[in-house]
Amino acid sequence: MDAILSALGNYHPVTQALFATLFTWGVTALGAAVVFFFRQIRQEVLDAMLGFAAGVMIAASFWSLLAPAIDLSERVSTLPSWLPAALGFMGGGLFMAGVDKVLPHLHPGLKMEEAEGVSTNWRRSVLLVLAITLHNIPEGLAVGVAFGAVAHGLPAASIGAAVALAVGIGLQNFPEGTAVSVPLRREGFSRRRAFWYGQMSGAVEPVAGIVGAAAVMMMQPILPYALSFAAGAMIFVVVEELIPESQQAGNTDLATIATLAGFTLMMSLDVALG
């Protein structure tokens, strides 16, 4: 791992963010590739995977984003250290709430009339992909911001922590790719088309990652706000979508234990690599 961190450190932070988000997109594609082997997956497995993803995102929001944001506030801001983190966190959540109201999308397992966002005549497959794409915007942004923060040489922002965040986001992207491709296969899509739509749900991550890294590199004062913004956006996704979806089939204990497992793994990664 030290060799990987050393090699990655030779690249520009924006390039690092691109590599990291290409990795997370690749794991989304691996999750979508499950459709080549299974037409459907037991609901218990899907619920556990969603719970695991929720746990990873909760841990990443604090250990990789909020805690560094508070620490950085003490160094780059004259405001109380908690204020930039609080403002950024709420801003990220409100931003995602706005996108959720505007962007047409449909969560797996729901009927077309239950689609969210503005009314549209887009196909069901497009709406399913957009639902997972909505998850991936803050994830890509978080990875990009983490790598961009490293460029400022601040103790609270290390390349190890940024890599840990990318690994954690990648791990939880696997079930998200599966959550798109398998339902599409059940609805009659060919395996190839279901895989294509599933992996495309992660295509937004490299774009968001580059934007996040470039923004914080150019404007150091926004760094605490950017880190906490990404955290708020991820927590919105967890509370509004991942946890409810993992619990709605009645597998509450299984989904909850999987959430704890995801949290524990992400926390361990961040502490070990950060």
Side-chain angles (χ1 to χ4, degrees), residues 100-123:
D100 190 65
K101 295 294 184 185
V102 174
L103 182 69
H105 61 284
L106 177 67
H107 298 293
L110 299 183
K111 300 176 181 178
M112 278 294 289
E113 53 267 27
E114 297 178 275
E116 300 179 34
V118 297
S119 298
T120 179
N121 58 359
W122 292 352
R123 297 173 61 182

Side-chain angles (χ1 to χ4, degrees), residues 4-157:
I4 295 175
L5 295 179
S6 177
L8 194 59
N10 294 326
Y11 292 93
H12 189 275
V14 174
T15 305
Q16 294 171 353
L18 175 60
F19 288 160
T21 48
L22 286 175
F23 162 75
T24 60
W25 181 12
V27 181
T28 303
L30 285 177
V34 168
V35 77
F36 288 114
F37 307 98
F38 304 97
R39 183 183 180 88
Q40 61 183 3
I41 295 179
R42 293 179 60 183
Q43 189 62 47
E44 293 91 337
V45 176
L46 284 175
D47 290 344
M49 293 169 77
L50 289 171
F52 179 85
V56 168
M57 292 178 71
I58 293 170
S61 295
F62 177 75
W63 295 99
S64 299
L65 299 169
L66 272 179
I70 294 171
D71 189 34
L72 290 171
S73 295
E74 298 175 349
R75 303 172 184 274
V76 302
S77 174
T78 58
L79 297 172
S81 59
W82 56 266
L83 186 56
L87 292 175
F89 185 81
M90 288 302 301
L94 292 173
F95 170 77
M96 289 304 298
V99 174
D100 190 65
K101 295 294 184 185
V102 174
L103 182 69
H105 61 284
L106 177 67
H107 298 293
L110 299 183
K111 300 176 181 178
M112 278 294 289
E113 53 267 27
E114 297 178 275
E116 300 179 34
V118 297
S119 298
T120 179
N121 58 359
W122 292 352
R123 297 173 61 182
R124 180 181 177 89
S125 57
V126 174
L127 296 177
L128 285 168
V129 173
L130 287 176
I132 304 300
T133 300
L134 188 62
H135 297 180
N136 290 332
I137 293 173
E139 294 165 11
L141 180 64
V143 173
V145 167
F147 278 98
V150 176
H152 295 293
L154 298 169

Side-chain angles (χ1 to χ4, degrees), residues 18-37 49 52-53 56 132 136 139 143 163-181 194-206 265 269:
L18 175 60
F19 288 160
T21 48
L22 286 175
F23 162 75
T24 60
W25 181 12
V27 181
T28 303
L30 285 177
V34 168
V35 77
F36 288 114
F37 307 98
M49 293 169 77
F52 179 85
V56 168
I132 304 300
N136 290 332
E139 294 165 11
V143 173
V163 169
L165 177 61
V167 171
I169 294 297
L171 289 174
Q172 65 90 45
N173 273 359
F174 187 92
E176 291 189 348
T178 304
V180 176
S181 62
F195 166 75
W196 172 255
Y197 281 117
Q199 64 85 28
M200 280 302 296
S201 67
V204 70
E205 290 197 5
L265 177 60
L269 280 173

